[in-house]
């Protein structure tokens, strides 16, 4: 009898360990945006706009954190559009929300600032 009870408890513990928590972070429409960005160029800008709106709203709400990497991804989207200042802003947001991203985000910010400074010096 005790062996069955121990077996049931172990099985329940194993099954509970397999459960996921999909509500730990805010993801917004990230998956749809990423798919549209690479596979549906006709709606790419519309999806990016909705994604940026989600990120702006997520910053003002005091609920769950934005998932790791979402601000950095937005920064990369902005960089590809040629908006370096917005890219730096999103990389700084990623760094402030996720301090463990410091090595990569600091390097990206430093490189983009240096590139901006070089462009400004060439324009003089």
């Amino acid at each position: 009898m005790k062996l069955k009870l121990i077996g049931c408890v172990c099985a329940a513990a194993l099954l509970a360990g397999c459960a996921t928590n999909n509500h730990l972070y805010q993801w917004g429409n990230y998956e749809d945006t990423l798919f549209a960005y690479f596979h549906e160029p006709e709606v790419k800008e519309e999806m990016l706009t909705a994604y940026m709106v989600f990120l702006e709203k997520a910053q003002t709400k005091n609920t769950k954190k934005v998932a790791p990497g979402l601000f950095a991804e937005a920064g990369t989207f902005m960089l590809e559009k040629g908006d370096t200042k917005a890219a730096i802003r999103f990389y700084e947001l990623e760094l402030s929300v996720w301090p463990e991203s410091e090595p990569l985000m600091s390097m990206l910010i430093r490189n983009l600032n240096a590139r901006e400074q070089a462009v400004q010096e060439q324009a003089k």
Side-chain angles (χ1 to χ4, degrees):
M1 182 67 174
K2 282 188 177 184
L3 192 55
K4 280 186 177 180
L5 181 62
I6 291 173
C8 288
V9 169
C10 287
L14 285 174
L15 289 175
C18 295
T20 60
N21 186 350
N22 293 333
H23 305 291
L24 191 58
Y25 305 114
Q26 292 186 65
W27 286 92
N29 62 337
Y30 175 71
E31 289 180 7
D32 295 332
T33 301
L34 200 59
F35 183 83
Y37 191 82
F38 290 109
H39 298 290
E40 298 174 351
E42 63 276 359
V43 296
K44 179 169 112 173
E45 287 303 317
E46 180 183 328
M47 293 301 290
L48 277 177
T49 301
Y51 181 62
M52 294 303 164
V53 168
F54 156 71
L55 288 177
E56 294 297 329
K57 285 182 181 177
Q59 292 177 55
T60 59
K61 292 181 183 176
N62 290 330
T63 57
K64 300 173 195 161
K65 286 172 101 173
V66 172
L70 293 192
F71 288 124
E73 188 79 40
T76 302
F77 289 150
M78 292 294 99
L79 191 59
E80 288 176 356
K81 289 176 78 172
D83 191 349
T84 306
K85 291 187 188 314
I88 291 171
R89 183 173 63 89
F90 279 114
Y91 291 153
E92 288 171 342
L93 278 170
E94 181 75 20
L95 178 59
S96 69
V97 174
W98 297 102
E100 46 276 83
S101 70
E102 193 273 330
L104 178 62
M105 292 300 109
S106 292
M107 180 195 61
L108 288 171
I109 293 166
R110 222 177 13 256
N111 288 345
L112 288 175
N113 281 329
R115 184 165 66 168
E116 280 291 301
Q117 191 174 32
V119 167
Q120 288 176 358
E121 287 176 5
Q122 285 181 347
K124 289 181 182 181

